[in-house]
Amino acid sequence: MTSTRERQRAAARARLEREMAERSTKARKRRQTQAIVGAAAVLVLVVAGTVWLASSLGGDDDTAQNDASTAGFTQCVYTESPKDGRPAQIKDVGLPANQQANKGTQTMTIDTNLGPITAKINRDAVPCTAGSFTHLASKGFFDNTKCHRLVTEGIKVLQCGDPSATGKGWRQTDGTGGPSYGLTEENLPTDKRPPYPEGVIAMANSGQPGSTGSQFFIVYGDSQLDPNYTVLGTVTAGMDLVKQVGAAGDDKAFAQQAGGGHPKKEVTITKLTMSDIQG
């Protein structure tokens, strides 16, 4: 028979084995839990990193898209004149869009009673002035108006673009007509000699900064004007027509003011158009 001492030893070994087994089971479960928690933490970090990377890249894309949406455009300012007391020779056709393309070229076509005159306009040099001209042309602003001033001495220019120079009484115009807004001068030929060579189309103004409107002049002989007038573009065809008008002379109506007078050979702009932007 097994002695009592042996039975006690056997029972102690059994308890020890059970305790060791339980400890092993608990340790295994603990390791499994730690592994799961660790894997979950890694997954969270991976997901967070992916989201951060995506948002970062997305932010760059958004920035690039925003940059792309504004690239190639200039923010222009067209200053509207007060409506109260606005003179009759001012023609209101609204304001151009403030954002204007600053790339590409346009062709301006001036259809006249003497024939067409065309000019090339570079948008990169005059985005705001070209935008204004495009707006005015789309409203028929220049249609059926007379070129109201010709200067044959000192400088050689034919000036047009006054909306009040219409009808039978056009010779009574004082040359102060324009749109209901003004804009800042662009593309001033400060480094050019002569600043306004033959073939240039430039914008007239009152002599004050920001007073450019709709009036423009075509230079038919090199002119030493101060470089205060926006160079809009260059005539590509029709200069012979302008020179014919210059050769016919003027009536000296503005001799005591800005010089020159109404051209004796009348020039009527039947229609002025601006092409779509090319390039």
Side-chain angles (χ1 to χ4, degrees), residues 110-111 142-145 147 160 216 267-272:
I110 309 170
D111 290 318
F142 302 99
D143 299 354
N144 302 311
T145 61
C147 292
C160 318
F216 62 95
V267 185
T268 301
I269 298 175
T270 55
K271 192 170 188 61
L272 189 151

Side-chain angles (χ1 to χ4, degrees), residues 36-224:
I36 292 171
V37 171
V42 170
L43 180 60
V44 168
L45 290 174
V46 169
V47 171
T50 302
V51 171
W52 175 84
L53 181 61
S55 62
S56 297
L57 292 176
D60 290 343
D61 288 343
D62 291 342
T63 301
Q65 289 174 359
N66 289 336
D67 289 345
S69 67
T70 56
F73 290 89
T74 295
Q75 195 71 16
C76 301
V77 177
Y78 301 103
T79 305
E80 188 172 16
S81 60
K83 293 184 178 181
D84 292 341
R86 186 179 288 170
Q89 63 268 32
I90 298 300
K91 185 176 181 180
D92 188 354
V93 290
L95 298 175
N98 290 111
Q99 197 173 60
Q100 293 292 339
N102 58 21
K103 299 293 181 184
T105 62
Q106 286 180 277
T107 297
M108 179 169 68
T109 301
I110 309 170
D111 290 318
T112 78
N113 59 314
L114 304 178
I117 302 168
T118 59
K120 180 181 179 181
I121 296 174
N122 290 317
R123 275 268 184 169
D124 58 341
V126 285
C128 299
T129 311
S132 173
F133 247 75
T134 301
H135 171 74
L136 294 174
S138 72
K139 301 296 184 180
F141 186 92
F142 302 99
D143 299 354
N144 302 311
T145 61
K146 306 279 189 178
C147 292
H148 62 280
R149 180 182 174 219
L150 177 73
V151 183
T152 61
E153 298 177 2
I155 60 174
K156 295 184 177 182
V157 299
L158 174 65
Q159 190 164 327
C160 318
D162 184 337
S164 67
T166 59
K168 293 182 179 180
W170 76 275
R171 288 183 180 274
Q172 277 68 56
T173 180
D174 61 2
T176 59
S180 57
Y181 62 87
L183 62 149
T184 301
E185 291 69 41
E186 300 177 293
N187 194 28
L188 300 179
T190 54
D191 58 345
K192 302 292 180 62
R193 296 293 180 271
Y196 298 94
E198 180 180 308
V200 158
I201 296 183
M203 300 300 299
N205 61 47
S206 68
Q208 297 299 316
S211 61
T212 294
S214 62
Q215 291 192 35
F216 62 95
F217 56 88
I218 304 173
V219 182
Y220 65 93
D222 292 355
S223 296
Q224 294 291 342

